Amino acid sequence: MNETPTPARDMILLKEGEVVLKGLNKRYFEQKLTQNIRRRLKPLGRFRVNVLQSVIYVEPQDESADVDAAFEALKNVFGVMTLTRAVACEKDRDVILRTAMEYLDEPLRAARTFKVESRRSDKGFPMTSIELSQYVGGEINEAYDNLTADMHNPDFIVHLEVRDRAAYVHGAPTQGAGGMPVGSNGTAVSLLSGGIDSPVSTYMMAKRGLRIIPVHFFSFPYTSELAKEKVIDLAKILTAWCGRMFVEVVPFTHIQEEIRAKCPEEYFTIIMRRMMMRIADEIGRKNGCGALVTGESLGQVASQTMEAMQCTGAVASLPVLRPLVGMDKEEVIRLARKIGTFDTSILPYEDCCTVFTPRHPCTHPKLPKVEEAEAALDVEALVQEALAGRELVKLDPRRLHDDEL
Ligand code: ATP
Ligand code: MG
């Protein structure tokens, strides 16, 4: 065994999630997925990415390729069900055995029970999967005193896959991000504040295959530069899941001052939210989006009752998706922690919504009353002025291990 060359560097095998269920659309989804994977790997060195029989092979091409960082980054790519670090070898039972014992030596030493599971898509291979498992399992059993075979509840499973181009050896797969490839279901504008909820709603809709354009309304000097930076930081964290994004930062100060000067106080918030929706809707239509996304949850605050949602939704031509609508705050917080946005969201910078909070907001607004209250504003001019002043911030996914994610 000692005279064998050192095994090839390991690579990454990805199994597709829902993508495989898509029948005729499968190719399109697969293309989106591999495109997203390639883009995500770009800053991490040279890799080759190709798909065969619903498995995506990610192979390092030279020393520039950082496989550890690639594995971390690919955990967040939607459309991937499982990821596994694997090593390829020649399709020969003894080479497979030797490779398994070298590559998986550490976990094999640590386990007490094990089994071998083989899959064979190359029907030209001279052994059946069961024969290969029995052969490799028998030899490993002999070689490791600490191990006994257990078919039902083993500590460790040696996976062998005999495929067209090579055989692959690996241990336990890691769960992927699930969902559908970003972009495979179109694009949406997501209203992104500095709070806990909207980063989570953004993540959830990206998981359903939407490319996201985040829009943030910014009320300088009522909210500080730091508040804007916080939102940019949140969006940066989200790029790990959503991929490359352009954040639209929209000046909102004049609109808020106009509302405060001309509208009844109990309607401040609802009118402000309607102005946000109008602007987001315009940005959405300019960018060919199919929906708007918000972090609203039913009954969470006065502006998130059914009546309030009717009033805010009424000014949008695009459907408003509210993925958190039926979730408890606890569930949202759990997700925020999981996706890495929570710690940034709870930093104490103000959001523009808190600047002009009415003392007694109307919790069950009637649309005609809101329209009447709003009539004092030159809505169209304010929308156009805000759109003209917007700033675009381009964000690329960063190397995750630089970011403590
Ligand atoms: P979040 O935690 O997401 O800020 P919230 O519970 O504080 O939500 P609201 O302040 O009522 O609720 O905002 C409801 C939704 O409106 C947010 O989830 C977000 O989608 C959008 N929104 C609020 N403020 C802004 C802002 N300054 N810029 C962009 N979107 C905003
Ligand atoms: Mg908020």
Side-chain angles (χ1 to χ4, degrees), residues 191-199 201 215-218 273 276 293-296 300-301 303-304 329 351-353:
L191 286 83
L192 186 65
S193 72
I196 295 169
D197 300 327
S198 48
S201 51
V215 173
H216 177 66
F217 298 95
F218 179 50
R273 304 297 322 285
M276 286 185 183
V293 178
T294 75
E296 291 163 302
Q300 197 188 76
V301 289
S303 60
Q304 297 178 25
K329 195 75 184 184
D351 179 68
C352 69
C353 292

Side-chain angles (χ1 to χ4, degrees), residues 26-41:
K26 183 174 153 67
R27 261 181 63 79
Y28 169 73
F29 280 74
E30 230 163 47
Q31 268 169 9
K32 277 277 173 208
L33 181 55
T34 47
Q35 198 180 57
N36 292 349
I37 288 170
R38 286 200 180 96
R39 201 175 282 151
R40 207 65 65 88
L41 293 174

Side-chain angles (χ1 to χ4, degrees), residues 65 99 228 342:
T99 308
K228 178 166 117 187
F342 184 75

